[in-house]
């Protein structure tokens, strides 16, 4: 029996953020053939071995991380195009990719990639971030690629769509007619980490063996009730007070605090949407467990139940590479 031939690669795609680097070797049509997850975010890069010979031109941490992520893939397929999104294009990244002003057509993002020559001869193409100037300035870098990926997998993409991207900084991106028309940022994840790790609230908490759904739900409901009218700065102290009065176990307090913060976020989001107009659909894209938390929270705030979408970054990187001409229509899925 003849062994199946390995599928050829068409693109290397990198999702390169602050704390980690994900690399994808992609075949025709954007199918992911191989995936690597490395700890080399832009704020923590590898260094050359101390006991090795000193090269005449030492490689930067970005070069070393790039080699570990996809050097062997490039040796196996010389000339393979490479695209990257995320904080690698920030002022602290490998090379700054200029922001594009919102509103912006999703297809135009792929036409504005920033090329970076690497030591091994490959050219890295970095996706730009987006800048919103209306009201208080706001920026996204990396999430725009996820939005492109989400929209490419949505039926009737021209409809009014709200894409939620939960994470350290949760982004809510409004898409109308395949144009990003605006977005909001909630620092919910980072605030949760800071409160738990660096305030008195964390002193009475302990880790649980499994998520406490009841405690999370309690936090959601309080945030959306009369008790939550004082706002997030008023209600978060109840995490400690409920523990001191024996009403909330130490293992339940982290999920209760998570429920409070996410609950306040979606209530604020509801107020924003009431003023701007409710979208026809909401899609969540991100880490599965976190997306499911938001999926529970949204209907409690009177918002549409969301659909969960996966593979936003890798799908978006393929679509942007296609728009940029790094891959061709003949390589796209039929």
């Amino acid at each position: 029996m003849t062994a199946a031939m390995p599928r050829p690669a068409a693109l290397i795609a990198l999702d390169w953020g602050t704390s980690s680097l994900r690399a994808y070797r992609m075949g025709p049509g954007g199918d992911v053939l191989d995936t690597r997850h490395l700890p080399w975010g832009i704020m923590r890069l590898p260094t050359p071995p101390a006991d090795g010979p000193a090269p005449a031109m030492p490689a930067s941490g970005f070069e070393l991380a790039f080699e570990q992520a996809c050097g062997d893939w490039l040796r196996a397929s010389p000339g393979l195009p490479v695209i990257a999104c995320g904080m690698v294009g920030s002022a602290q990244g490998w090379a700054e990719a200029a922001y594009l002003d919102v509103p912006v057509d999703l297809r135009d993002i792929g036409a504005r990639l920033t090329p970076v020559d690497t030591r091994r001869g490959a050219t890295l193409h970095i996706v730009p971030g987006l800048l919103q100037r209306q009201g208080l300035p706001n920026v996204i870098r990396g999430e725009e690629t996820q939005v492109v990926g989400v929209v490419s997998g949505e039926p009737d993409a021209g409809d009014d769509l709200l894409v939620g991207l939960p994470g350290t900084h949760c982004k809510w991106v409004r898409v109308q007619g395949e144009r990003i028309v605006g977005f909001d940022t909630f620092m919910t994840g980072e605030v949760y980490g800071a409160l738990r790790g660096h305030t008195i609230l964390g002193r009475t908490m302990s880790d649980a063996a499994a998520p406490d759904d009841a405690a999370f739900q309690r936090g959601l409901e309080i945030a959306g009730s009369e008790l939550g009218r004082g706002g997030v700065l008023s209600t978060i102290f109840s995490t400690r007070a409920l523990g001191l009065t024996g009403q909330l176990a130490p293992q339940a307090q982290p999920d209760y605090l998570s429920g409070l913060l996410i609950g306040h976020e979606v209530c604020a989001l509801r107020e924003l949407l009431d003023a701007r107009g409710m979208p026809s659909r909401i899609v969540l894209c991100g880490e599965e467990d976190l997306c499911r938390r938001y999926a529970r929270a949204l209907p409690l705030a009177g918002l549409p139940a969301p659909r969960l979408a996966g593979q936003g970054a890798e799908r978006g990187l393929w679509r942007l590479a296609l728009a940029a001409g790094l891959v061709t229509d003949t390589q796209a899925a039929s």
Side-chain angles (χ1 to χ4, degrees):
M1 183 174 180
T2 304
M5 293 292 292
R7 297 188 62 190
L11 179 73
I12 292 173
L14 307 178
D15 182 5
W16 201 335
T18 302
S19 59
S20 66
L21 166 59
R22 290 188 182 273
Y24 306 97
R25 191 172 70 93
M26 308 182 82
D31 293 336
V32 176
L33 306 177
D34 292 297
T35 303
R36 289 174 179 162
H37 187 193
L38 302 172
W40 306 131
I42 69 160
M43 302 305 291
R44 180 175 178 265
L45 293 166
T47 57
D51 55 353
M57 294 180 62
S60 69
F62 288 105
E63 292 276 8
L64 293 170
F66 182 76
E67 181 65 26
Q68 289 186 30
C70 58
D72 58 335
W73 292 345
L74 288 167
R75 284 191 292 274
S77 303
L80 203 61
V82 188
I83 189 171
C85 70
M87 290 298 287
V88 68
S90 69
Q92 295 76 38
W94 196 342
E96 187 169 10
Y99 288 107
L100 304 183
D101 284 342
V102 170
V104 63
D105 190 301
L106 293 175
R107 290 163 293 191
D108 291 342
I109 298 173
R112 299 289 297 276
L113 306 184
T114 296
V116 178
D117 294 330
T118 68
R119 282 168 56 96
R120 68 160 27 260
T123 300
L124 174 69
H125 299 85
I126 302 179
V127 177
L130 302 183
L131 169 62
Q132 181 172 273
R133 299 182 187 273
Q134 311 96 296
L136 292 174
N138 206 346
V139 296
I140 58 177
R141 192 177 286 281
E143 293 91 353
E144 74 294 317
T145 301
Q146 290 178 279
V147 172
V148 171
V150 168
V151 171
S152 71
E154 282 293 300
D156 302 320
D159 289 353
D160 188 6
L161 179 68
L162 183 67
V163 181
L165 303 161
T168 304
H169 298 165
C170 186
K171 306 286 186 177
W172 295 95
V173 184
R174 195 73 175 255
V175 182
Q176 295 175 340
E178 296 199 32
R179 285 171 61 83
I180 293 179
V181 298
F183 54 90
D184 296 284
T185 301
F186 290 83
M187 293 179 61
T188 306
E190 187 165 358
V191 169
Y192 172 82
L195 290 173
R196 184 171 180 183
H198 301 286
T199 75
I200 198 170
L201 299 182
R203 299 295 181 87
T204 56
M205 293 183 182
S206 62
D207 293 328
D212 192 322
D213 292 338
F216 177 74
Q217 185 74 17
R218 185 177 185 180
L220 288 179
E221 293 174 352
I222 287 175
S225 72
E226 289 292 328
L227 294 173
R229 289 295 180 89
V232 65
L233 294 180
S234 171
T235 57
I236 55 175
F237 190 73
S238 65
T239 307
R240 177 174 174 81
L242 287 169
L244 293 175
T245 56
Q247 300 178 64
L248 194 65
Q251 297 90 338
Q253 291 173 30
D255 285 304
Y256 172 78
L257 177 61
S258 173
L260 280 178
L261 294 176
I262 292 175
H264 280 294
E265 177 184 339
V266 297
C267 286
L269 178 66
R270 170 62 192 263
E271 291 189 17
L272 292 172
L273 295 177
D274 282 343
R276 300 169 183 168
M278 199 64 63
S280 59
R281 286 175 295 159
I282 298 178
V283 178
L284 296 175
C285 182
E287 193 273 320
E288 184 176 356
D289 290 340
L290 188 55
C291 282
R292 294 195 184 281
R293 289 187 174 232
Y294 277 84
R296 291 178 59 185
L298 289 167
L300 286 178
L303 293 168
R307 189 181 78 81
L308 304 185
Q311 297 185 315
E314 49 266 53
R315 189 191 298 268
L317 284 162
W318 174 265
R319 298 302 303 179
L320 291 174
L322 186 63
L326 299 180
V327 293
T328 65
D329 288 327
T330 57
Q331 293 171 308
S334 58

